[in-house]
Amino acid sequence: MALAIFDLDNTLIAGDSDHAWGEFLVEQGLVDAEQYKEANDRFYLDYQRGQLDIYAYQAFALEPLTRWSAEQLAQLHDQFMQQKIAPIMLDQAKALLQKHRDAGDFLLIITATNRFVTGPIAELLGVDDMLATEPEVIDGRYTGELVGTPCFQDGKVERLNQWLAERDHELTDSYFYSDSRNDIPLLELVDHPIAVDADEALTEHAKAKGWQLISLRN
């Protein structure tokens, strides 16, 4: 059984779920539209440039979760899935997951986006497990704080190594699919690094390394 690892945003789905959640909050009138949109867009641009301050971003992204109960958040997320996620699901991504599933591989999503946003998406995709940035929950409510290392850049490698230390899986013959320059540290670690609809920096790096480049959107 090989380990098949997948980034989520702009890899298995044709968009960024974290940024889309921010857009959803703005569209629903649940946050200050002008200020929140400006910050959401600015952080996303920082991410695309490989310059994101993950702690500052998570403080921004997790604060709205503290405002509502678990039941209210579940209702909002259901609406978010219908309005924002369903339109960006990719048939070719589902086929790729099925290819690895049929080969007997273990399917793992590893994403910088927090588990509140991504958990239901990973469940919909039917993967075996997921590593995500973990928001703190106390007495059933989000505190706005993080638990552990954010699952971002070198943090993805750290979190994956922690996960591997607790399980029987190993990186021999492993795959990792990603679109982003931010994932180069983890792509360097696996036996089969694959750039998916990659950004410019990752495309250049992948070509220099002789890595496979694919698209799930053609």
Side-chain angles (χ1 to χ4, degrees):
M1 177 185 290
L3 186 59
I5 311 169
F6 305 85
D7 176 51
L8 177 64
D9 297 314
N10 284 306
T11 300
L12 291 179
I13 58 176
D16 186 280
S17 61
D18 225 354
H19 187 255
W21 171 251
E23 290 181 325
F24 173 78
L25 295 178
V26 169
E27 291 166 7
Q28 296 301 310
L30 298 171
V31 291
D32 181 283
E34 184 176 350
Q35 291 184 4
Y36 201 89
K37 183 180 187 309
E38 186 278 327
N40 194 42
D41 291 347
R42 173 168 42 83
F43 279 122
Y44 188 42
L45 184 59
D46 287 346
Y47 170 82
Q48 292 175 316
R49 291 170 172 167
Q51 299 171 348
L52 180 66
D53 181 335
I54 189 64
Y55 290 98
Y57 174 67
Q58 290 299 329
F60 163 78
L62 296 179
E63 189 279 328
L65 302 185
T66 68
R67 305 180 190 181
W68 302 292
S69 67
E71 293 78 10
Q72 291 170 318
L73 285 169
Q75 292 174 359
L76 286 172
H77 201 288
D78 285 346
Q79 187 178 354
F80 166 70
M81 290 287 287
Q82 294 171 20
Q83 294 182 6
K84 291 293 190 180
I85 299 303
I88 59 174
M89 298 294 285
L90 293 167
D91 289 340
Q92 289 188 63
K94 295 176 185 177
L96 176 62
L97 290 170
Q98 190 60 46
K99 175 184 175 183
H100 280 282
R101 198 176 287 119
D102 291 344
D105 297 336
F106 188 95
L107 277 56
L108 175 69
I109 284 175
I110 183 163
T111 175
T113 302
N114 72 73
R115 184 173 292 274
F116 166 76
V117 171
T118 56
I121 306 173
E123 184 176 351
L124 183 63
L125 291 169
V127 298
D128 297 304
D129 204 352
M130 180 181 74
L131 296 174
T133 297
E134 297 288 350
E136 183 181 59
V137 179
I138 296 179
D139 296 330
R141 294 191 71 103
Y142 289 93
T143 68
E145 301 296 325
L146 291 174
V147 176
T149 301
C151 204
F152 178 63
Q153 294 181 342
D154 289 327
K156 281 193 176 182
V157 174
E158 180 180 339
R159 291 285 305 281
L160 177 61
N161 283 332
Q162 291 170 353
W163 185 87
L164 289 169
E166 298 169 357
R167 289 163 178 82
D168 293 332
H169 299 289
E170 57 184 32
L171 290 179
T172 301
D173 204 29
S174 58
Y175 297 78
F176 182 40
Y177 297 84
S178 178
D179 72 292
S180 175
R181 71 176 72 195
N182 293 293
D183 285 338
I184 288 173
L186 183 49
L187 285 160
E188 295 277 8
L189 198 63
V190 300
D191 287 342
H192 304 288
I194 301 165
V196 182
D197 297 296
D199 63 32
E200 183 177 351
L202 177 54
T203 297
E204 292 179 2
H205 189 86
K207 288 179 177 178
K209 289 281 189 173
W211 295 348
Q212 186 177 0
L213 292 102
I214 67 169
S215 175
L216 298 178
R217 306 188 192 192
N218 294 335

